[in-house]
């Protein structure tokens, strides 16, 4: 089975800190995604990547950046964390354009 | 723009009952549709994926159907168990197959009472 691993289940950060969320998949998938999930708003796509060093903005990229230096790893960076970035962050991967596999999520709290 | 709706938002049934969860979408030009399960505070687990050319997919007690022309998919759960309690989401991928065209529904929260 595909394994998508997110580095932290829970994270607490201060406003203004730079935050790194890491995601690793073990199935050689080309596509990797970062979503955030908020009550009442559902899942919203932040960024996705369809190859190493390739990235594309999703619906809500403001305040975020990403890095994909290796095929198996996709990092989400909050340049200067703000309280409105408190959320559940979900990483996913897929082989184009098939099943999406998700990690277990990172609950980020920004104080 | 594709819109995906799941009604009802919440459903409560007694153990052993067969049930149907609904997913409707506004643009029938889709590539595939995927059903997920999400437990509280966890990520999404893929259940079934139906390609646009298929009518249904089965896995154990789960059966998903797709009617593109009417913009509907259903997830049938047979002989429900308390362990089936979770939120079920559907996601539709647009006809180009692009990741940009993945649209999620807001989910149906299922509770199976022992």
């Amino acid at each position: 089975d595909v394994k998508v691993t997110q580095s932290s289940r829970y994270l607490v950060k201060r406003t203004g800190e730079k935050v790194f969320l890491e995601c690793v998949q073990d199935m050689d998938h080309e596509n990797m995604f970062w979503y955030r999930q908020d009550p009442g708003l559902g899942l919203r796509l932040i960024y996705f990547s369809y190859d190493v060093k390739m990235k594309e903005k999703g619906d809500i990229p403001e305040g975020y950046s990403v890095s994909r230096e290796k095929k198996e790893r996709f990092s989400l960076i909050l340049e200067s964390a703000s309280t409105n970035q408190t959320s559940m962050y979900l990483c996913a991967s897929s082989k184009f354009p098939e099943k999406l596999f998700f990690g277990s999520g990172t609950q980020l709290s920004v104080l | 723009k594709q819109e995906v709706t799941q009604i009802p938002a919440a459903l409560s049934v007694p153990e052993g009952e067969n049930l149907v969860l609904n997913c409707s979408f506004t643009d029938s030009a889709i590539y595939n549709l995927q059903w997920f399960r999400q437990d509280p505070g966890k990520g999404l687990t893929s259940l079934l994926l139906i390609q646009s050319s298929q009518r249904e997919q089965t896995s154990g007690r789960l059966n998903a159907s797709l009617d593109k022309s009417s913009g509907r998919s259903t997830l049938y759960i047979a002989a429900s168990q308390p362990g089936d309690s979770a939120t079920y989401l559907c996601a539709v991928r647009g006809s180009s197959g692009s990741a940009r065209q993945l649209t999620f529904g807001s989910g149906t929260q299922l509770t199976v009472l022992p």
Side-chain angles (χ1 to χ4, degrees), chain B residues 63-85:
Chain B
N63 176 276
S65 69
L66 175 64
D67 184 343
K68 264 197 339 176
S69 60
S70 67
R72 294 182 65 184
S73 175
T74 61
L75 180 67
Y76 174 84
I77 302 178
S80 59
Q81 303 169 357
D84 294 330
S85 298

Side-chain angles (χ1 to χ4, degrees), chain A residues 45-64:
Chain A
L45 181 65
I46 305 171
Y47 268 97
F48 69 98
S49 168
Y50 46 92
D51 204 347
V52 175
K53 297 191 188 293
M54 306 303 284
K55 60 187 178 185
E56 196 167 322
K57 291 179 180 179
D59 299 319
I60 51 163
E62 297 77 19
Y64 303 94

Side-chain angles (χ1 to χ4, degrees), chain B residues 3 5 12 15 17 24 31 35 50 55 66 79 89:
Chain B
E3 290 181 10
T5 304
S12 186
E15 182 176 3
E17 194 162 294
S24 60
Y31 193 94
W35 281 94
I50 311 179
R55 293 299 298 253
L66 175 64
L89 297 96

Side-chain angles (χ1 to χ4, degrees), chain A residues 11-66:
Chain A
L11 215 49
V12 179
K13 296 292 180 181
R14 297 282 179 193
T15 302
E17 277 192 76
K18 191 168 185 176
V19 181
F20 293 85
L21 301 183
E22 306 286 343
C23 177
V24 177
Q25 51 94 4
D26 66 357
M27 283 301 289
D28 202 37
H29 286 169
E30 307 95 346
N31 295 287
M32 296 189 75
F33 309 82
W34 276 106
Y35 290 89
R36 64 177 281 178
Q37 186 177 33
D38 300 286
L41 295 176
L43 272 89
R44 293 180 290 169
L45 181 65
I46 305 171
Y47 268 97
F48 69 98
S49 168
Y50 46 92
D51 204 347
V52 175
K53 297 191 188 293
M54 306 303 284
K55 60 187 178 185
E56 196 167 322
K57 291 179 180 179
D59 299 319
I60 51 163
E62 297 77 19
Y64 303 94
S65 62
V66 290

Side-chain angles (χ1 to χ4, degrees), chain A residues 1-2 4 29 91-94 99-103, chain B residues 34 36 44 46:
Chain A
D1 261 358
V2 175
V4 181
H29 286 169
C91 175
S93 75
S94 77
K99 270 189 187 182
L100 214 56
F101 293 89
F102 281 84
Chain B
Q34 192 169 358
F36 296 90
L44 280 68
S46 177

